[in-house]
Amino acid sequence: MAAMKIALLAVAAISALLLGTASAATYGVGEPGGSWALGTDYSKWVSNKKFHPNDEIVFKYSTPTHDVVEVSKAGYDSCSAANAINTLTSGNDVITLNTTGTRYFICGVPNHCSPTTAASMKVIIEVVPSSSSPSSPMPAAGPRANNPPPPSSTATSVGAAAGFGLVALLAVGLMA
C-alpha cells in the first residue's frame, strides 16, 4: 500500500510539473499570412497577440536579404540599428521572451525599416504578466519544429482542468 501511495504521489508531482510548463506559446512573426519580409503589416499582426514571459517569437526570413535587429525605442522610432542590442542573421531566429516589458525589433537592411511606412519591417512586442492561457499561437517551423505545436487557449484550459482533477483525485486516494 505504501508503494502505491508513493507511485501516486510521483504521478501527481509530474502532472503538476507538466501543467506548469504548458503555458508558454510560440509565435511565428507575421504568420499565418506572412513572415519577416517586406509588405507584412506587423502592427496588425501584433494587435491580437498577448505575449507572456517564456513565450517564444520566431522570425523566419531569407538570408542575406533580411536580418533581425533588437533595438531601443529610439532605434525603433528612427529605424536605426547603430546601437543594436542584438543582431540575428540565421533566417530562423527563435527569441524567448524572458521578462515583462517592451521589446523592439527592426530589419537592419537599408530601407527595409521606414519610420513612415505602415508595412515597414519593424515590430513592437509587449510582454505582459502571465495569465492562465496563451493567445492563439502559431506553430513554429525549423529547428524546434520537432516539438508539437503549443496548445490553443481552449486546449490549455481543458488540459489544466483535467490535470487539476487528476491531482485532486490522487490526493483523495493518498488520504484513503
Side-chain angles (χ1 to χ4, degrees):
M1 186 67 172
M4 180 181 230
K5 285 185 178 182
I6 290 172
L8 289 173
L9 185 58
V11 169
I14 291 170
S15 297
L17 177 64
L18 291 174
L19 288 173
T21 60
S23 63
T26 300
Y27 299 87
V29 176
E31 291 181 353
S35 61
W36 189 239
L38 292 167
T40 300
D41 186 344
Y42 298 103
S43 295
K44 183 178 179 183
W45 175 78
V46 80
S47 68
N48 66 346
K49 309 281 185 287
K50 288 201 186 232
F51 302 98
H52 302 286
N54 298 317
D55 284 354
E56 294 178 328
I57 53 174
V58 181
F59 289 87
K60 294 183 209 171
Y61 55 93
S62 300
T63 61
T65 307
H66 303 295
D67 61 13
V68 177
V69 183
E70 185 169 4
V71 295
S72 65
K73 181 174 182 351
Y76 178 87
D77 291 341
S78 64
C79 283
S80 173
N83 296 310
I85 295 168
N86 194 12
T87 301
L88 305 165
T89 59
S90 77
N92 191 31
D93 303 318
V94 180
I95 298 170
T96 302
L97 306 171
N98 293 320
T99 60
T100 59
T102 306
R103 297 185 64 179
Y104 304 91
F105 299 93
I106 65 171
C107 180
V109 174
N111 301 317
H112 287 198
C113 178
S114 168
T116 58
T117 305
S120 182
M121 290 184 71
K122 57 194 262 181
V123 64
I124 299 173
I125 304 294
E126 295 280 346
V127 183
V128 298
S130 292
S131 65
S132 61
S133 63
S135 65
S136 304
M138 299 297 145
R144 296 182 184 218
N146 305 1
N147 296 339
S152 70
S153 56
T154 302
T156 301
S157 299
V158 170
F164 179 75
L166 174 64
V167 171
L169 181 62
L170 290 173
V172 169
L174 288 173
M175 288 195 247

